[in-house]
Amino acid sequence: MNYHFSSRVPKTDIDPVGNILKVVESPDIISFAGGLPAPELFPVKQIAQATAKVLNECGQVALQYGSSQGIPELRKIIAERVKLEGIDTSPDHIMVATGSQQTLDLTGKIFIDPGDTVIVESPTYLCAVDVFKSYGANFVGIDMDDDGMRMDHLEQALSEHPETKLIYTIPNFQNPTGRTMSLDRRKKLSVLADKYDVMVLEDNPYGAVRFAGENVPSVKSLDSTGHVIYMGTFSKILAPGMRLGWIVADESLINKYKMMKQSADLHTDSLSQYIIAKYCELFDIDEHIKLISSLYQKREQLMMAAIQKYFPKNAKCSYPEGGMFIWVEIPEIKDTQALFDLAIKQRVAFVPGEPFYSEHPKPGTFRLNYSNMSEDKIEEGIKRLGKVIQTALLAQEVY
């Protein structure tokens, strides 16, 4: 059968990241590959209580079709939560999405035509690149340092690419690097968005999971012209299986998102929305987030200590103040995929850096996740990985 696919469908069935994640599913592999929360912290009993109350109190409503914008009860809770990011908004400026991934997809549908330019951090969240690419975007990657995206490079890119439709950024504990954008750069980003009349999509899935340093106001909180769209999620602070994210934007723009969402899935799962709203009514979600942050800090410290102990002295890594990831750079490593293949043989896994680049991948880079693996396996896994790196470096010298 010869299928006549649209131009959005990839020309090949090769899925590098999917193949990596499939390989690491084996229980005997110590995996630092997936961006998964710690499942032992999922509040199963509390969610069961909230579910029972929802079904008893408003089961027929919760199981019915609902609003594309999301139930009012949950949008009010989100409006309160984003105040922690310095965002003063109303439920009318919020739409509930089916996870952050739907926000990315809807944003692509709304703003990107084939040939449009999307500016991203280099490296950046690989699934965002895949989504925007499916709508025909061309990419410009902006170099980062420890303070996030370089604003001088961004302004140069905006000047050279007046056709830019969107700037995509993850300012807090960025995926994959774990870096946080400084306040000065957030202010400059807001100014540049206004100056060049380009939209910014601020993705903040990890911001609440801070275990060091001080909170930094969101880019959206610095936006006075409506150029910043803010997106968040319950996936990292409660449970990813509930598939609940949100968008904060001007009401006129929210109306566009609602129209596009109606053609995608009508509305986000009503029962999940009611359950999360009831959970937040019955229990203290901020106390739950403190538990998550405390555990992730412990695991990050264990991993960082092991990296310093077992990795080559010239290995560079990020020092996250929260979130789930550490970014590693070993300049002497020329083929990170070959390094991954060696690592799998030693029953340890990571994600090679190449898929995180929209253009010009940097050799010798990879991402480590510390949130999902138990403490007793973190040092052993990094020890194995350290031996793999030494083996790869020696093999390159021989070659």
Side-chain angles (χ1 to χ4, degrees):
M1 177 66 185
N2 183 25
Y3 297 105
H4 301 284
F5 294 118
S6 77
S7 59
R8 288 186 295 276
V9 178
K11 305 302 183 201
T12 174
D13 288 337
I14 297 173
D15 179 8
V17 176
N19 292 339
I20 288 169
L21 295 179
K22 186 180 295 184
V23 169
V24 305
E25 286 176 353
S26 175
D28 65 333
I29 291 180
I30 298 176
S31 176
F32 304 127
L36 305 177
E40 63 269 34
L41 293 184
F42 294 159
V44 176
K45 292 182 179 178
Q46 291 89 342
I47 287 179
Q49 293 178 44
T51 302
K53 278 191 168 291
V54 166
L55 293 175
N56 287 329
E57 295 172 1
C58 58
Q60 291 182 344
V61 175
L63 295 173
Q64 184 59 277
Y65 287 115
S67 163
S68 295
Q69 190 166 356
I71 67 169
E73 295 89 338
L74 187 60
R75 288 188 285 115
K76 289 177 182 177
I77 289 168
I78 293 167
E80 287 299 313
R81 289 214 58 77
V82 298
K83 287 181 180 179
L84 299 173
E85 302 296 325
I87 301 170
D88 187 10
T89 191
S90 75
D92 291 337
H93 290 240
I94 294 169
M95 187 187 84
V96 179
T98 304
S100 291
Q101 200 64 29
Q102 184 177 58
T103 302
L104 294 172
D105 188 66
L106 294 177
T107 302
K109 285 181 180 179
I110 291 172
F111 288 104
I112 301 172
D113 289 316
D116 285 341
T117 294
V118 175
I119 293 179
V120 298
E121 292 153 341
S122 184
T124 191
Y125 177 44
L126 56 92
C127 291
V129 172
D130 288 344
V131 168
F132 300 146
K133 187 182 296 182
S134 74
Y135 290 104
N138 296 322
F139 293 94
V140 174
I142 304 299
D143 290 337
M144 304 174 70
D145 58 24
D146 289 341
D147 289 326
M149 186 191 298
R150 291 275 304 270
M151 290 299 119
D152 53 341
H153 291 195
L154 174 61
E155 182 155 25
Q156 180 179 347
L158 288 169
S159 177
E160 293 174 353
H161 297 274
E163 77 283 3
T164 298
K165 278 287 191 71
L166 187 69
I167 302 168
Y168 173 69
T169 180
I170 312 170
N172 294 321
F173 323 131
Q174 195 241 15
N175 183 1
T177 68
R179 295 166 177 154
T180 296
M181 185 185 292
S182 68
L183 177 57
D184 285 345
R185 291 191 184 179
R186 295 176 192 227
K187 292 178 179 178
K188 182 65 173 179
L189 176 55
S190 179
V191 169
L192 290 176
D194 182 29
K195 178 179 178 180
Y196 290 91
D197 192 24
V198 61
M199 298 302 297
V200 174
L201 182 60
E202 179 181 14
D203 191 357
N204 188 30
Y206 315 103
V209 188
R210 174 178 284 279
F211 47 70
E214 299 294 328
N215 283 331
V216 187
S218 64
V219 182
K220 179 63 177 173
S221 71
L222 306 169
D223 171 38
S224 61
T225 59
H227 281 92
V228 180
I229 303 163
Y230 177 94
M231 54 185 285
T233 179
F234 285 102
S235 292
K236 306 304 186 293
I237 59 175
L238 211 52
M242 305 293 283
R243 307 308 304 133
L244 286 181
W246 64 81
I247 308 164
V248 181
D250 283 359
E251 191 171 356
S252 59
L253 189 50
I254 289 293
N255 288 335
K256 297 296 185 186
Y257 273 100
K258 286 193 299 182
M259 293 171 63
M260 301 306 289
K261 182 173 174 57
Q262 286 168 8
S263 64
D265 65 355
L266 294 183
H267 63 86
T268 297
D269 183 285
S270 295
L271 180 58
S272 291
Q273 292 185 67
Y274 277 101
I275 290 169
I276 296 301
K278 182 60 69 173
Y279 173 91
C280 292
E281 175 189 326
L282 297 175
F283 306 103
D284 189 339
I285 191 172
D286 290 313
E287 286 300 314
H288 179 67
I289 293 171
K290 286 179 183 178
L291 291 176
I292 296 173
S293 301
S294 177
L295 179 66
Y296 289 6
Q297 180 177 36
K298 182 179 180 181
R299 292 181 176 178
E300 184 268 348
Q301 290 174 343
L302 284 170
M303 182 172 283
M304 196 63 73
I307 287 171
Q308 293 171 356
K309 185 175 181 181
Y310 297 112
F311 279 20
K313 298 304 179 186
N314 64 338
K316 301 176 183 178
C317 59
S318 58
Y319 290 84
E321 296 181 335
M324 302 165 63
F325 305 113
I326 294 172
W327 184 247
V328 181
E329 299 183 21
I330 304 177
E332 289 78 11
I333 295 291
K334 305 305 180 187
D335 188 341
T336 319
Q337 182 60 50
L339 183 69
F340 172 83
D341 295 338
L342 285 173
I344 288 298
K345 293 178 181 178
Q346 298 303 315
R347 320 312 288 167
V348 64
F350 58 87
V351 180
E354 285 83 352
F356 296 102
Y357 288 90
S358 60
E359 53 182 3
H360 313 308
K362 188 174 183 179
T365 58
F366 56 91
R367 189 192 75 180
L368 298 173
N369 166 267
Y370 51 79
S371 62
N372 184 250
M373 193 54 56
S374 61
E375 292 93 311
D376 61 320
K377 293 183 178 179
I378 287 177
E379 180 165 2
E380 174 59 26
I382 295 299
K383 182 178 180 180
R384 292 181 193 180
L385 188 50
K387 289 181 179 179
V388 169
I389 293 169
Q390 295 292 356
T391 299
L393 292 173
L394 288 172
Q396 288 181 176
E397 289 178 9
V398 171
Y399 180 77

